[in-house]
Amino acid sequence: MKKLVTTALIAVGVVAAMGTAHAGKDTEWQVDGSYATEAACDADGQDGTFTRPDGSQLTPGDDEYECKQGNDNLWYLSIWTD
């Protein structure tokens, strides 16, 4: 249980620290799926069109994005929006 709480607190700290890196953008969306390479993740981040959980569309230029490598060595795309 302590390990789970510690992991959760670390995750909250990482998200809070990253919030300053995306000034003006206050909502992070984790895109479903993963990418084998950083280049594939980056290409989707630059040119992809995504649907938010509320159904609204994000088009290239509406957001900031970040590709993060997971513990499984796959790449995950996070999108930061207003």
Side-chain angles (χ1 to χ4, degrees):
M1 185 66 174
K2 285 183 181 180
K3 190 174 186 177
L4 177 63
V5 171
T6 301
T7 302
L9 290 175
I10 290 171
V12 168
V14 168
V15 170
M18 290 178 66
T20 60
H22 303 281
K25 307 290 184 178
D26 58 3
T27 303
E28 178 183 13
W29 306 100
Q30 178 79 40
V31 174
D32 288 336
S34 59
Y35 302 87
T37 65
E38 184 178 17
C41 179
D42 189 51
D44 231 10
Q46 286 182 13
D47 301 323
T49 300
F50 303 97
T51 303
R52 293 180 183 168
D54 67 3
S56 62
Q57 292 288 315
L58 284 174
T59 56
D62 287 346
D63 54 26
E64 295 180 22
Y65 71 92
E66 179 178 33
C67 294
K68 296 182 259 186
Q69 191 169 28
N71 292 335
D72 56 4
N73 290 323
L74 295 174
W75 292 87
Y76 296 87
L77 177 61
S78 293
I79 297 174
W80 296 85
T81 63
D82 296 328

